[in-house]
Amino acid sequence: MTNSASIESLPGSDAHGERPHGIFERLGDWLNPVLVKEVRQAQRGRVFTVALVATVLITLLSCVIMALDLSDSNTQPGRSFFTVVYVFVCGAMMLVVPFQAFSSMGSEWDDHTYEMLVLSNLKPRQIVMGKLLAAVVQSALLLAVFLPFLATAFLLRGVDMLVLGVVLALTAYASVWLSTFSIMLSAVTRNRLLRVLLMVMLGGGLASLVSGAAALAQEFINRPDQMADTEFWIALPQILVVFTLLGVLAFVITCNLLAHEEENRSSNVRILGSVAIFALLALVALNVGLATVGLPREGVFGFSVVGIFALTAVSVFLCSEPERLGRRVGPTVPRRPWLAFLTLPWYPGGGRGAAYLLLHLAVLVAGGFAIALFAEPPSYARTPASSSLNSEGGAVLLLSAVYAVLYTLVPIGILAMFTRNTSGGRKFMRTIAFFSPFLYVLVPAIFGLVVGSYELRSTRHVGNPVRTMAGSVSAFEDHRDGVFFILLPLALFGIVLALPKILRAVRETATARQAVPVERSDR
Amino acid sequence: MTSALEIRGITKQFGPTKAVDSVSFSLEPGEICGFIGPNGAGKTTTMRIISTLELPDSGDVFVDGVSVLAAAREVRSRLGFMPDSYGAYGATTVTEYLDFFARAHGLRGRVRSQTLASVMDFTSLHPLAGKHIDALSKGMKQRLCLAKTLLNDPKLLILDEPAAGLDPRARVELRELVSALGDTGKAVLLSSHILTELAEVCDSVAVIEAGRLQAKGRVDEMMRATRAQAEVTCRVLSDPAAGLRAIAEMPHVLGARLQGEAIVFAFAGSDADRASLLAELVRRGVQPVDFAARVTNLEDVFLSVTKGTLQ
Ligand SMILES: Nc1ncnc2c1ncn2[C@@H]1O[C@H](COP(=O)(O)OP(=O)(O)OP(=O)(O)O)[C@@H](O)[C@H]1O
Ligand SMILES: [Mg+2]
């Protein structure tokens, strides 16, 4: 050992190992460290290379067999050729790549390397992004390898260039999206057994997606005129916007799952939720304005209702968060009282979650009604007299806001009185909240069995949203009393339960900025 | 001056077991502290709390003045933690492995290559640079892990059982590395089961048992405190029974008994007291032939402390 001699050469002092730093190395410095590691491992591991070569060989073989089998009557051999190749492209990009991303994240737990990543001070965002970028690199590589085959398909004729490009671009998008989702799934639990279970489910899901995608691609290749439609080009970007928002949500949730307990693990989801809600309203408004689509009033209300139920699902988590601001979050509350108050719904905590839910319900309801003003009246009521907003759609929108409160604030508010806000207690609250829509239907039905009420027993009561919201115009009219005398008071009860929490959250926000964070021990 | 490490009353409970129970102590820069305690005493848990991997139920830890609760990231940039068991990435070479963690710490360009070179120098890893991690021996892996924890030039090093599973030669090397680190002003907290190992390299020891800190102090002071209850063996030329009677009457003598020909007793006085005891025996004509106090080592400190006989 040469300790005494080399002690001067500890970090900071300059010693040996001066390598010339070229432009590539300097660029490489800014790459995500996890990406660099993953690519190096993949290079050395050879698993990926072997899989790649094997896939190409199999594809080649299948093509040869197909070529021998081709009858002269086939006027567009490119199409059959594409169909065969695409199954492999799709399988590699939408099954192998996401699966690899899943196991790459999972192996960090299994090999006990995750804590080393944390200690090396990588942010969760960097870790997840590194894994995702590694998936992107793999996808790009696969695409490059398969490109000659696809070009051959094009040269054999029968395949439209535009269709080919769109199908491939969408496949690449799906590959990245599914990888994001898979990484989230593997971050959900550190329990190996549970993860194996998730892996099996993921594998099944991905396999069925691949077969679906292959069928869809074949459909587009065989009928390229579908892509010539304006409606296709109006729908596609919107679908992409929605899926991209969902993908970002999965990314953000993964980061939160990896983050330290005292970190802010809620604001990013809340902000994203607000963005999603405004994006949804903007898309709806856009479709109302677009002459070719002309979204009617039912559609406007329909989309707003979908927004409300998505918000409800997220709010179950937000409303059941611990009330206290984390020790690293408190100091980030704005100093100005009015600003602190304005940003309150976006800070972590159950009470602030309730405020977030109520605020966004109001935005969705108001936005839905505002846009509906400009939409075509519903088809069944296109008479001069019924241009008012007093339509069934409006009632459904209002009702769904009421149900949103029933499914979140009521169960969580009641359970909060009996359960302690530990991680186990929170899991319990969330599970009950997610099952509450069924409880609202089943409990009165069981009661109906006991007292012998046919209406209750057959779930024809207001606890059943299908009864009050779907069906004919008269569905709502039939349950008017139940809505006014049961649902509304119950929702008000939920809000009343949440009020003290909201008030406490306001008070905590007001004082959080005054407390000086303990960062340095003064001695 | 800010302490390199200050633990303030941390408590951590796992279900019914209190793994750590209001433990407080601190380390000054350059101090090498042995952290000893029986299996399940709470050493690993304490170290994981210091390293921000576990949150204390109550209390706080300050690393170089920064709280693990309020600023975990800053703490991580100031400490190096070598866990007792750690995973390693397969399909990576020694250099690539260190390069990855250097990148993760945000080291770029020339700074990174220099840091890598000096850390590999310090841990003598240069000959292994291109070797696959899977092919390394336990001792080599240990050195690699130590090299990794040095990349961010930490103020505090936490080593959990670094000597476990090392052969005698590798242990000597590790000891040299640790004391060299202490010389550069880094504080080191290392746990170990092999107590004699620590005495030579440590400035101080902290003894923990069942989650509670039993003692913390400088090694020499702790040894002296334990020697105050040294076990003395005395053989006399005259009748052992008479000698036993004479010794039993002396001050500071506890539980004198015959063990074959020898008289064995515990002695609770200082070195000076022991000298006067010997003089008194001679004066009374007991004629001691052998008079040996068993030299205390860290083992005795450990045993006496964990029995609760100290303080
Ligand atoms: N994650 C955990 N879940 C439950 N109990 C735990 C956990 N970690 C530690 N313990 C318990 O806390 C106590 C202290 O464990 P710890 O690992 O800190 O001891 P140790 O001093 O490092 O022991 P050893 O010398 O065997 O490494 C033990 O009783 C152990 O069973
Ligand atoms: Mg241990």
Side-chain angles (χ1 to χ4, degrees):
Chain A
M1 298 294 289
T2 52
N3 301 329
S4 45
S6 58
I7 199 64
E8 295 84 2
S9 59
L10 263 177
S13 63
D14 53 1
H16 332 270
E18 304 248 334
R19 271 186 289 137
H21 274 270
I23 178 93
F24 284 113
E25 286 197 32
R26 228 169 298 150
L27 279 178
D29 274 347
W30 296 95
L31 284 178
N32 183 307
V34 179
L35 170 67
V36 175
K37 186 208 79 175
E38 297 277 330
V39 170
R40 275 180 183 162
Q41 271 181 299
Q43 259 179 354
R44 277 196 202 286
R46 297 211 186 87
V47 174
F48 185 72
T49 326
V50 169
L52 201 69
V53 172
T55 320
V56 172
L57 285 180
I58 294 171
T59 316
L60 212 61
L61 219 68
S62 317
C63 291
V64 170
I65 292 169
M66 199 203 69
L68 294 177
D69 199 37
L70 267 183
S71 56
D72 296 331
S73 60
N74 196 330
T75 49
Q76 288 174 321
R79 288 189 180 175
S80 341
F81 191 81
F82 174 86
T83 310
V84 171
V85 174
Y86 185 74
V87 170
F88 290 99
V89 175
C90 198
M93 290 177 71
M94 288 172 64
L95 183 76
V96 176
V97 172
F99 215 70
Q100 171 92 9
F102 180 92
S103 60
S104 159
M105 190 71 226
S107 70
E108 300 283 356
W109 314 128
D110 292 344
D111 301 346
H112 306 286
T113 44
Y114 181 71
E115 291 191 337
M116 297 200 308
L117 293 183
V118 172
L119 286 169
S120 69
N121 238 350
L122 284 172
K123 295 192 186 93
R125 180 162 29 92
Q126 286 173 293
I127 297 173
V128 183
M129 191 47 108
K131 300 276 178 198
L132 188 58
L133 286 176
V136 171
V137 168
Q138 285 182 5
S139 267
L141 217 62
L142 283 169
L143 207 55
V145 166
F146 279 112
L147 221 49
F149 292 100
L150 296 167
T152 313
F154 176 69
L155 292 176
L156 284 175
R157 268 185 312 226
V159 177
D160 186 72
M161 186 62 148
L162 176 73
V163 175
L164 186 66
V166 170
V167 165
L168 287 185
L170 286 181
T171 311
Y173 178 89
S175 172
V176 176
W177 195 93
L178 290 171
S179 300
T180 317
F181 181 78
S182 305
I183 294 171
M184 179 183 79
L185 215 55
S186 71
V188 165
T189 173
R190 296 174 199 202
N191 180 317
R192 197 170 191 156
L193 200 72
L194 277 179
R195 214 172 34 250
V196 169
L197 211 71
L198 284 178
M199 194 164 85
V200 172
M201 279 158 57
L202 178 72
L206 289 176
S208 53
L209 264 181
V210 166
S211 66
L216 197 67
Q218 194 181 3
E219 170 81 11
F220 273 122
I221 288 291
N222 290 338
R223 294 180 51 209
D225 51 307
Q226 284 177 319
M227 253 183 221
D229 268 3
T230 330
E231 271 179 45
F232 177 83
W233 292 105
I234 289 175
L236 185 64
Q238 298 191 31
I239 293 170
L240 287 183
V241 165
V242 171
F243 271 90
T244 305
L245 277 171
L246 286 176
V248 177
L249 182 68
F251 185 92
V252 161
I253 288 175
T254 317
C255 294
N256 292 348
L257 287 170
L258 300 187
H260 195 266
E261 285 172 59
E262 290 286 318
E263 305 275 351
N264 186 343
R265 302 199 290 180
S266 184
S267 291
N268 48 10
V269 171
R270 292 177 190 228
I271 292 168
L272 193 65
S274 305
V275 170
I277 281 170
F278 279 104
L280 176 81
L281 289 177
L283 285 183
V284 170
L286 185 76
N287 283 315
V288 167
L290 283 173
T292 43
V293 185
L295 191 67
R297 191 169 291 168
E298 305 119 302
V300 174
F301 286 127
F303 277 110
S304 306
V305 169
V306 169
I308 283 183
F309 282 108
L311 173 69
T312 308
V314 174
S315 295
V316 167
F317 290 95
L318 301 185
C319 294
S320 54
E321 281 173 1
E323 298 299 332
R324 185 184 65 84
L325 282 176
R327 276 173 271 193
R328 295 212 65 192
V329 186
T332 62
V333 172
R335 200 175 288 276
R336 294 203 187 87
W338 59 268
L339 200 59
F341 185 73
L342 275 183
T343 54
L344 177 135
W346 288 272
Y347 272 91
R352 283 171 287 264
Y356 180 91
L357 170 68
L358 293 175
L359 176 71
H360 288 80
L361 279 181
V363 168
L364 274 170
V365 169
F369 272 104
I371 298 168
L373 271 178
F374 299 97
E376 292 268 317
S379 46
Y380 57 81
R382 256 175 223 150
T383 55
S386 68
S387 61
S388 76
L389 281 174
N390 188 14
S391 64
E392 196 193 354
V396 166
L397 181 54
L398 283 173
L399 258 181
S400 59
V402 171
Y403 280 112
V405 173
L406 293 186
Y407 297 155
T408 51
L409 297 186
V410 173
I412 290 171
I414 293 174
L415 288 176
M417 295 194 260
F418 305 109
T419 46
R420 280 188 300 146
N421 204 336
T422 55
S423 112
R426 279 197 292 281
K427 265 185 204 139
F428 178 67
M429 272 197 244
R430 288 166 182 176
T431 313
I432 295 289
F434 270 112
F435 279 106
S436 66
F438 302 101
L439 293 179
Y440 280 109
V441 178
L442 288 180
V443 172
I446 293 168
F447 182 70
L449 270 180
V450 174
V451 300
S453 153
Y454 174 73
E455 293 282 297
L456 289 182
R457 189 153 43 101
S458 55
T459 70
R460 292 178 189 208
H461 55 78
V462 286
N464 185 356
V466 181
R467 275 281 141 195
T468 50
M469 289 168 55
S472 63
V473 192
S474 60
F476 172 66
E477 295 298 326
D478 289 349
H479 294 283
R480 186 179 278 272
D481 286 352
V483 168
F484 281 113
F485 294 110
I486 299 173
L487 291 193
L488 278 182
L490 204 54
L492 280 179
F493 173 62
I495 294 174
V496 167
L497 280 181
L499 273 183
K501 285 204 289 183
I502 297 179
L503 284 180
R504 246 179 288 135
V506 170
R507 234 176 293 135
E508 190 190 17
T509 310
T511 51
R513 211 39 181 113
Q514 283 143 29
V516 181
V518 201
E519 278 212 7
R520 297 221 143 241
S521 70
D522 27 21
R523 10 178 304 131
Chain B
M1 192 170 63
T2 319
S3 296
L5 169 68
E6 191 192 341
I7 303 180
R8 283 199 204 153
I10 55 169
T11 297
K12 178 81 189 178
Q13 190 142 3
F14 291 112
T17 42
K18 267 200 170 165
V20 180
D21 190 358
S22 26
V23 165
S24 304
F25 65 89
S26 57
L27 253 63
E28 298 310 314
E31 181 174 343
I32 300 175
C33 179
F35 196 33
I36 55 182
N39 285 122
K43 303 182 294 291
T44 301
T45 308
T46 307
M47 289 178 148
R48 286 174 59 83
I49 291 173
I50 299 170
S51 314
T52 74
L53 292 177
E54 211 93 63
L55 277 179
D57 297 334
S58 64
D60 201 348
V61 176
F62 297 86
V63 174
D64 195 28
V66 181
S67 154
V68 295
L69 288 175
R73 279 183 64 79
E74 282 92 304
V75 167
R76 280 180 218 136
S77 68
R78 280 157 215 247
L79 71 77
F81 175 48
M82 186 160 123
D84 55 349
S85 66
Y86 41 86
Y89 292 110
T92 348
T93 66
V94 166
T95 316
E96 282 174 358
Y97 181 81
L98 290 175
D99 180 72
F100 164 62
F101 285 104
R103 282 170 190 269
H105 277 297
L107 302 179
R108 290 188 217 288
R110 193 150 289 151
V111 178
R112 189 173 72 236
S113 52
Q114 280 165 4
T115 307
L116 277 188
S118 62
V119 164
M120 285 172 77
D121 247 13
F122 181 71
T123 49
S124 312
L125 279 173
H126 271 306
L128 307 175
K131 225 177 155 111
H132 269 229
I133 292 202
D134 314 296
L136 295 183
S137 73
K138 170 99 186 165
M140 293 169 180
K141 267 198 189 134
Q142 204 82 325
R143 264 192 279 159
L144 177 62
C145 195
L146 184 65
K148 191 208 85 188
T149 59
L150 291 174
L151 286 169
N152 59 330
D153 194 17
K155 297 271 197 325
L156 172 70
L157 277 163
I158 309 284
L159 313 178
D160 197 1
E161 318 228 356
L166 296 189
D167 67 18
R169 186 173 168 70
R171 272 187 211 161
V172 173
E173 288 176 356
L174 177 79
R175 217 149 57 201
E176 285 172 3
L177 281 175
V178 168
S179 63
L181 285 170
D183 292 342
T184 57
K186 296 184 194 307
V188 184
L189 180 70
L190 75 163
S191 72
S192 178
H193 283 138
I194 308 138
L195 302 161
T196 41
E197 279 267 330
L198 291 172
E200 291 165 56
V201 68
C202 291
D203 304 313
S204 60
V205 283
V207 184
I208 186 171
E209 191 186 20
R212 299 194 71 95
L213 190 72
Q214 302 295 332
K216 158 86 171 48
R218 301 191 57 79
V219 173
D220 41 1
E221 281 166 11
M222 300 263 284
M223 296 241 191
R224 226 175 294 131
T226 316
R227 187 166 303 165
Q229 294 184 356
E231 188 181 65
V232 183
T233 312
C234 178
R235 210 158 53 80
V236 293
L237 203 59
S238 53
D239 173 25
L244 177 66
R245 249 175 285 122
I247 287 175
E249 288 168 8
M250 300 286 182
H252 308 299
V253 171
L254 309 164
R257 63 188 189 278
L258 270 182
Q259 205 172 65
E261 285 293 277
I263 306 157
V264 181
F265 60 93
F267 188 78
S270 65
D271 282 6
D273 294 331
R274 211 158 70 216
S276 48
L277 171 101
L278 193 54
E280 181 65 15
L281 286 181
V282 173
R283 207 181 54 77
R284 291 198 189 181
V286 176
Q287 292 177 293
V289 189
D290 274 350
F291 188 86
R294 200 162 66 78
V295 179
T296 353
N297 58 26
L298 216 47
E299 201 105 35
D300 297 305
V301 174
F302 176 67
L303 289 174
S304 78
V305 162
T306 52
K307 271 183 296 191
T309 48
L310 199 81
Q311 304 151 0

